[in-house]
Amino acid sequence: MNKIQHRTPLNGTFELTGRCNLSCKMCLVRVDQAQIKKLKKRERTTNEWIQMAKQVADAGTLGLLLTGGEAMLRPDFCEIYEAIAKMGFLITLYTNATMVTEKIMDLFRKYPPHKIGVTMYGASNSTYEKLCGCKDGYDRFIEGIEQLTTLPSLFEIRTTIVKDNRSDLSAMKQFTKEKFGPDKVLQISRFISKSIRGGIACAERCRLSPEENVAMIDSGLVETYHKVKNGELELPDSAEKYPLKRYGTASESGYLFQNCDAGINQYTITWDGSMYACELMSEGCTKPFKVGFQKAWEELPNCYPESHSIQVCEQCQYEPFCESCPAIRKAETGDFFGKPDYFCAEARCIYNMLKEMHVI
C-alpha cells in the first residue's frame, strides 16, 4: 500500500512546543498546560529532541525548521538549539520575536540560523492586546526585530490576517518596506483552517469570510474586476482566455499527498512526539521517539488512505480555482475526501469574477 519511489526526508520540522506566550485567537495548534494534561500527552525532553536530531541527520535531513507554539518559551531552548546547530543543519526558526533575550542572541551570533521567519500580528499594542492577549506585544516585537536583524540570517516577515488585525494590514506592509527595503514583501498566510491536534483556539470564528480573504490575497484580480465592472477598464476582445486546468484527486501511485512533498521529502514531528507528513495534519502519524526515526519514516505513508477521485469535486466548475488539499479537507471536514465549504466559496468567488470579465 502507498508504495512511493525515491522518498528522502530532506526537510523536517521540529515543533518543540505547542505552548506560546501569546494567546492568538486564530492559532491552529496552541495548547496550554491544562490542555496538555487533558490530552494526556507531554512535551519531549531536551535529550529526546537532541537525540532525534541525530537520527534525522543520519537519515538524510538537511533543512530543519524549529517552531512552536513559541520555541523560545522553553527554558532549554538554547541547549536544544546549540546541540542541533552543531550538527550542521540548515536551520530555519519561526518565532513571534517577543521573547528574544541576550542569552539567545549570544547563541545566535555564534550559530546564526540560516533563515528566520518572524510573525507580525499587528501594528500597535492595542491590536496585539485584542488579538494575542498581550498589552505590550508590539513593543516587544519591535525590540526582538531590532536584535534579530543584526544577524546575517535570511529574514522573512510573515502575518496571518483575521478580523481583529485586518485594519492594520497596510501599516504592516509599510513597516516591512521601511524596515527591510522597498523590495521586501510581507508574507500573508493564504488560509486559516480549523484548529488541529487539540489546539484550544477557535480559528474559524475569527477568520475572514471567503470573499474577504479573496479580496485580500488576490487584490490585483479584485481591483481589475471592479475596474471592468465600473467601465474604467476594457479588456480587448482578443484577450486570451484563461486556460482551466483540472487537477482532480487520482494518483497512479495511490499516495494521498500527490501534489506536494508531504511524506516524500518532508515531515513534521510535533511537540508530543508524533510524526506527520504535513504540519496541518491531526490524524495519521507514526511515533519516531518510540520506534526510531528511520522506521517511523518508512511506515509514514501507510498511515493515510490511498488517493481516489472525489466525484463532487471533479464535476465542479470551480475546481480549477480550489486551494484545498487532503490536509485542509481533513481539518475542515474531518474527512480526507470531504467538501470544505469555506474553500469552495473562495473558488466560486474567483470563478465568478473571471466569468463576468469574460476571461474564462
Side-chain angles (χ1 to χ4, degrees):
M1 179 180 177
N2 284 339
K3 292 182 179 179
I4 312 164
Q5 294 182 344
H6 310 304
R7 290 181 64 240
T8 304
L10 292 175
N11 297 297
T13 294
F14 281 7
E15 184 185 75
L16 297 180
T17 179
R19 296 174 295 116
C20 188
N21 62 309
L22 302 182
S23 301
C24 300
K25 295 178 180 179
M26 69 292 192
C27 184
L28 308 181
V29 300
R30 180 176 61 85
V31 293
D32 55 19
Q33 290 290 7
Q35 181 69 353
I36 291 174
K37 183 177 181 180
K38 182 179 179 181
L39 293 171
K40 297 181 180 180
K41 296 181 178 181
R42 68 171 178 87
E43 292 185 352
R44 312 317 291 194
T45 66
T46 310
N47 187 60
E48 283 178 316
W49 280 117
I50 293 172
Q51 293 304 315
M52 183 53 61
K54 292 178 181 178
Q55 291 186 47
V56 305
D58 290 341
T61 296
L62 300 177
L64 198 57
L65 166 62
L66 303 181
T67 186
E70 173 51 56
M72 294 182 193
L73 184 63
R74 288 187 64 127
D76 59 354
F77 171 75
C78 288
E79 186 177 351
I80 294 173
Y81 181 89
E82 182 173 7
I84 290 176
K86 288 180 178 178
M87 297 179 198
F89 294 103
L90 289 175
I91 294 177
T92 296
L93 174 70
Y94 281 178
T95 177
N96 60 39
T98 63
M99 298 196 72
V100 181
T101 64
E102 190 55 39
K103 180 181 178 181
I104 289 174
M105 285 304 301
D106 286 342
L107 181 60
F108 285 172
R109 293 184 191 103
K110 190 174 182 180
Y111 304 106
H114 172 67
K115 181 179 180 180
I116 301 175
V118 175
T119 304
M120 184 180 190
Y121 293 110
S124 69
N125 280 325
S126 61
T127 299
Y128 267 78
E129 181 177 9
K130 179 169 59 175
L131 181 60
C132 311
C134 185
K135 293 182 179 180
D136 61 346
Y138 182 70
D139 290 341
R140 293 168 63 179
F141 162 79
I142 293 296
E143 291 173 5
I145 284 285
E146 292 298 329
Q147 296 183 78
L148 292 173
T149 51
T150 64
L151 300 169
S153 309
L154 298 175
F155 217 87
E156 179 180 79
I157 295 290
R158 310 157 64 237
T159 193
T160 300
I161 298 299
V162 293
K163 295 174 183 177
D164 284 346
N165 66 349
R166 186 184 183 189
S167 61
D168 283 20
L169 180 56
S170 294
M172 287 192 282
K173 288 181 176 180
Q174 185 63 29
F175 168 85
T176 302
K177 292 186 180 298
E178 290 178 353
K179 182 65 179 176
F180 300 100
D183 296 331
K184 196 70 172 180
V185 176
L186 177 69
Q187 301 297 318
I188 305 174
S189 295
R190 174 62 185 84
F191 57 83
I192 301 172
S193 74
K194 296 179 181 179
S195 299
I196 57 174
R197 298 198 298 275
I200 58 178
C202 190
E204 61 184 308
R205 290 181 184 173
C206 62
R207 63 185 177 185
L208 303 179
S209 71
E211 294 76 19
E212 289 171 333
N213 204 46
V214 168
M216 176 185 66
I217 298 296
D218 297 317
S219 57
L221 170 62
V222 175
E223 182 180 357
T224 300
Y225 166 74
H226 286 298
K227 286 183 177 180
V228 171
K229 189 175 182 179
N230 295 331
E232 300 172 18
L233 177 67
E234 183 176 348
L235 297 178
D237 294 335
S238 60
E240 186 176 349
K241 297 288 186 181
Y242 184 88
L244 298 185
K245 181 179 180 181
R246 306 190 70 85
Y247 293 94
T249 56
S251 170
E252 292 181 3
S253 70
Y255 184 56
L256 184 64
F257 302 101
Q258 59 174 308
N259 292 322
C260 69
D261 289 332
I264 299 176
N265 297 124
Q266 66 185 32
Y267 59 89
T268 292
I269 301 179
T270 56
W271 59 267
D272 65 331
S274 301
M275 181 161 73
Y276 298 87
C278 169
E279 67 272 12
L280 289 176
M281 298 302 304
S282 57
E283 292 184 24
C285 65
T286 54
K287 303 295 183 179
F289 289 96
K290 290 184 178 180
V291 304
F293 177 80
Q294 188 61 46
K295 184 176 181 181
W297 171 253
E298 292 170 358
E299 294 176 348
L300 190 58
N302 296 326
C303 294
Y304 307 107
E306 292 192 8
S307 176
H308 64 74
S309 62
I310 305 174
Q311 187 173 10
V312 66
C313 295
E314 291 200 335
Q315 296 175 349
C316 178
Q317 60 186 332
Y318 312 128
E319 189 267 344
F321 307 102
C322 183
E323 295 281 350
S324 70
C325 68
I328 290 174
R329 290 194 291 267
K330 181 67 174 177
E332 289 287 302
T333 71
D335 185 344
F336 285 116
F337 308 101
K339 179 176 175 289
D341 292 337
Y342 184 94
F343 294 87
C344 293
E346 279 196 345
R348 180 171 61 250
C349 179
I350 295 172
Y351 175 92
N352 287 338
M353 283 191 291
L354 293 174
K355 191 72 173 178
E356 286 189 43
M357 291 190 291
H358 304 290
V359 177
I360 56 174

